[in-house]
Amino acid sequence: MNGINGTLIVPGDKSISHRAAILASLSTGKTVIDNFLFSEDCLRTLDAFQEMGVQITKRNQQVIVESEGPSKFLPAKNAIDLGNSGTTARLLAGVLSAMPFSTVIKGDSSLSSRPMKRVTEPLSMMGAKFKFLQRDGHLPMTIEGGRLKQIDYEMPVASAQVKSAVLLAALTGQVHVSVTEQTKSRDHTERMLEAYGIHIEDKNGTITLRENQVLHAKNIEVPGDFSSAAYWIAAAVITPGSELTIEHVGLNPTRIGFLNVLKRMGASIEIIEKLDAMNEPVGTIIVRYSTLNATSLEIDEIPTLIDEIPILALVATQAEGTSHFHHLEELRFKETDRIKATVLGLEELGADIQMKDDGMVIQGRTRLHGGVVKTFHDHRIAMTAMIASLITSGDVTVDDQDCVKISYPNFFEQLNEFI
């Protein structure tokens, strides 16, 4: 093909949309959320709060939330079904830990295979009680909330979801809490809390939220999702003749490790604008086809690009030399075993890639061919395969297109504009 050229706007940020829905529901008053991501995962978060009595209206790319705050939440009549959304499960667990009632949350088979103890352990230390109904450490589970107590929690591994669950539990329960990270994880929750006027302190890796703070409604604009933009950034970098402009993209420093690694590999990437929206840096990215060199990932980089590993692996197949991706154990516990799914998917297309216990080793530069990629119902594997199709010698198909709706409902529509 002749390259990926033009201007593109990606959908609203998935992580920020989740948090916008949660904080709006915890606020007193009316909130308008613009550019909300209407993906299956984010809709699960809205549905969960609707089941507890929050008034939520959805229209176009806008959500209107009218809430009287958590003191007016009602017990859900039935188990809250969170589908495949791990973010909803873990962040909601924090909120429900402070509720004066019990709630059952459940998920689909994929979510029910993912570990929950990493979040229930600190919440249990705060006073919440959890009962796993079928298999220890996995959904479905009952959360018995109530009065919480202060904790000073040291995170064993970097996890924005666990950190956020503890902070949301403290905010909802109006108690003091501190969370210490050895490696900084995504900070969307802290940034949004500060934009709401909540006093939160981050000092030497310890985040402190003080007691007895309440939220008042504040309108929110969600920037474009960097993780969604990453697919098009990769597409332009590896497809000859490309020059692509991506507008209104979130550029949170804890999210853009992918950009930093690509630049290290030799990618031509330019950020031409930087603005703040709800405490989040936002900009326009211009990316061009580039000659790339192999790279290795440092352990401190991993939290900043954990969702981009599959598409980065594809890029590495087009770089000169051998790329080493290690410290990726967390990927074994995503929607699927994402290390295995990435390796098998790229092998199907002719990549020279080896699976390791903690990651993968990729030999470039490799000519890729067509094939049928098994996605394991993982949206990021499906999108990676379809971006690969832009440079393969034959057609690429995936066994499940619908899984992409989890994070990027109009992905195939935008892809077809470039084919």
Side-chain angles (χ1 to χ4, degrees), residues 1-132:
M1 63 180 300
N2 295 322
I4 302 296
N5 294 279
T7 299
L8 185 72
I9 296 177
V10 295
D13 187 281
K14 182 168 173 275
S15 296
I16 296 175
S17 291
H18 279 301
R19 287 156 174 80
I22 292 170
L23 294 190
S25 298
L26 294 174
S27 301
T28 300
K30 178 181 177 180
T31 299
V32 177
I33 308 172
D34 285 309
N35 201 36
F36 187 88
L37 176 64
F38 284 97
S39 69
E40 289 185 4
D41 275 13
C42 294
L43 290 173
R44 295 288 185 174
T45 298
L46 292 178
D47 292 346
F49 285 97
Q50 279 187 303
E51 291 192 45
M52 291 188 286
V54 178
Q55 300 299 308
I56 297 176
T57 304
K58 314 176 191 81
R59 63 185 186 198
N60 299 324
Q61 295 305 113
Q62 191 176 75
V63 172
I64 299 171
V65 180
E66 297 178 81
S67 177
E68 297 180 79
S71 65
K72 301 296 184 180
F73 286 2
L74 302 172
K77 294 180 180 178
N78 301 298
I80 299 178
D81 188 351
L82 305 180
N84 191 46
S85 182
T87 302
T88 309
R90 296 188 177 106
L91 271 59
L92 186 63
V95 173
L96 292 173
S97 292
M99 291 293 102
F101 49 73
S102 294
T103 308
V104 177
I105 61 173
K106 64 180 183 179
D108 64 11
S109 58
S110 173
L111 182 56
S112 298
S113 69
R114 297 165 70 181
M116 289 294 294
K117 279 199 169 181
R118 63 178 59 184
V119 71
T120 62
E121 286 177 355
L123 295 174
S124 296
M125 293 166 59
M126 297 179 74
K129 296 179 181 178
F130 299 88
K131 181 181 179 182
F132 296 103

Side-chain angles (χ1 to χ4, degrees), residues 189-206:
T189 301
E190 299 98 292
R191 286 174 178 268
M192 193 174 291
L193 286 171
E194 288 179 334
Y196 265 92
I198 296 298
H199 180 72
I200 189 166
E201 181 181 272
D202 187 346
K203 186 175 182 180
N204 298 324
T206 296

